[in-house]
Amino acid sequence: MKRTIIYIIVLIVAVLPAYPQEEAATLRPVTSAYTAEIGDARLANTYLTPLKYTGWSAAFNYERMQAMKFNPDKWVMRLAAGLTLDGTENPAKNADMWRLVGEFSWGMTHRWRIPCNITLAAGGSTGVDLGVLYNSRNGNNPVAVEAAWTVNLTGYAAWNTRIGRLPLTLRYQPTLPVAGVFFSPDYGELFYEISLGNRSGLVHCAWWGNYFRMENLVTADLHFGATCLRLGLRSNVLSTKVNNIVTRVVTTAAVIGISGEWMSLNPSRGIDSKARIISALY
């Protein structure tokens, strides 16, 4: 009987490791940022005027980043939305041109962690831009429409470091459209004529020959506890040429706002001490 009991105990000890152990939970905090921007703008739109207008640019932007559920170590999602208002004047300072545009984009990037706390990521996104330009001097046709849907190349480079004891995250993120469609009427075509049914040739395929845009975003997140102060610089260049209409938009703005990482937790359970926390930026 003793020998039988010993055999059973040995068998149980041998079998137990074969059962899979419970894996630690994976937590994917959401990195969100709310920022305001102020800078300068240069506008040109030959549908409205042959002159170049210069002035100021102001914007409000929201950004949301999170590691993807299916492979959080390698893939990151980014959603961005913003509203920009530009106020400009002609060289003689006797006419104004205003630009109001809303933007929305969503994309995924594959990332690589390399030494020295640096993360590199590359991928794609898709975005929609919709806005208007208004020229106060034009009485007959004072408004031009800005509308586009694009597929973009994007990515980022992030560096986690410190200034003394203060944690700091530096990031550079470019966005470059490569294809899509955008709106443009014929030269001199009135929107009244479009409303009467003259709608041919309003939508054009976008490529670098007739539609070029480049956005560059540089940010520095200063980690003060759970909330970060975000400082940075954003530049935007938009150039289109179709139907003998040339559009140029160049803005450069300083960025200031708050950012941080947030997690959805069950109050009754709290945080598992063995949980893996995977950040979207580093």
Side-chain angles (χ1 to χ4, degrees), residues 178-254:
V178 294
V181 293
F182 69 105
F183 170 88
S184 178
D186 287 327
Y187 186 84
E189 181 180 11
L190 302 179
F191 282 89
Y192 176 72
E193 298 172 338
I194 296 175
S195 67
L196 294 178
N198 185 16
R199 300 186 180 93
S200 62
L202 298 178
V203 179
H204 307 269
C205 292
W207 63 291
W208 289 340
N210 61 5
Y211 186 99
F212 178 82
R213 181 178 178 182
M214 182 69 180
E215 177 184 322
N216 294 285
L217 175 64
V218 178
T219 60
D221 287 350
L222 305 173
H223 297 259
F224 296 101
T227 303
C228 303
L229 172 65
R230 173 165 290 189
L231 303 173
L233 183 69
R234 187 192 304 269
S235 67
N236 244 315
V237 176
L238 172 64
S239 176
T240 68
K241 184 177 181 180
V242 67
N243 293 344
N244 295 316
I245 298 174
V246 176
T247 300
R248 299 282 188 273
V249 177
V250 180
T251 61
T252 304

Side-chain angles (χ1 to χ4, degrees), residues 91-110:
K93 309 295 183 182
N94 59 6
D96 300 324
M97 184 155 66
W98 297 84
R99 176 177 177 263
L100 178 65
V101 61
E103 303 175 351
F104 176 86
S105 66
W106 183 92
M108 284 198 308
T109 54
H110 186 282

Side-chain angles (χ1 to χ4, degrees), residues 4-196:
T4 302
I5 294 174
I6 293 173
Y7 286 156
I8 293 174
I9 293 174
V10 171
L11 180 62
I12 292 173
V13 172
V15 170
L16 280 177
Y19 288 92
Q21 297 181 352
E22 183 179 354
E23 294 184 1
T26 299
L27 300 179
R28 302 174 295 116
V30 174
T31 300
S32 296
Y34 299 86
T35 58
E37 303 178 7
I38 188 70
D40 59 67
R42 286 167 283 173
L43 306 180
N45 185 291
T46 58
Y47 179 77
L48 297 176
T49 173
L51 301 177
K52 296 180 180 179
Y53 283 60
T54 59
W56 54 266
S57 176
F60 177 79
N61 286 281
Y62 168 74
E63 181 185 51
R64 184 183 191 274
M65 298 180 69
Q66 187 177 23
M68 297 299 293
K69 187 175 183 179
F70 65 87
N71 191 347
D73 288 307
K74 297 296 184 182
W75 289 94
V76 175
M77 176 276 296
R78 179 177 183 260
L79 179 149
L83 186 67
T84 301
L85 176 65
D86 302 327
T88 60
E89 294 179 319
N90 65 1
K93 309 295 183 182
N94 59 6
D96 300 324
M97 184 155 66
W98 297 84
R99 176 177 177 263
L100 178 65
V101 61
E103 303 175 351
F104 176 86
S105 66
W106 183 92
M108 284 198 308
T109 54
H110 186 282
R111 64 177 169 180
W112 299 266
R113 293 184 176 91
I114 62 177
C116 302
N117 294 323
I118 296 176
T119 300
L120 301 178
S125 67
T126 183
V128 176
D129 305 336
L130 182 62
V132 295
L133 288 88
Y134 170 76
N135 192 303
S136 62
R137 192 161 189 170
N138 291 5
N140 190 32
N141 204 29
V143 174
V145 173
E146 183 178 320
W149 167 75
T150 58
V151 177
N152 319 309
L153 293 175
T154 188
Y156 68 85
W159 181 32
N160 231 23
T161 184
R162 287 178 176 270
I163 300 179
R165 296 183 179 180
L166 181 65
L168 172 68
T169 301
L170 299 174
R171 179 184 55 149
Y172 166 63
Q173 176 138 8
T175 302
L176 178 65
V178 294
V181 293
F182 69 105
F183 170 88
S184 178
D186 287 327
Y187 186 84
E189 181 180 11
L190 302 179
F191 282 89
Y192 176 72
E193 298 172 338
I194 296 175
S195 67
L196 294 178

Side-chain angles (χ1 to χ4, degrees), residues 249-271:
V249 177
V250 180
T251 61
T252 304
V255 177
I256 185 169
I258 59 172
S259 66
E261 293 185 319
W262 288 270
M263 291 185 292
S264 298
L265 299 175
N266 187 333
S268 63
R269 295 182 180 180
I271 299 179

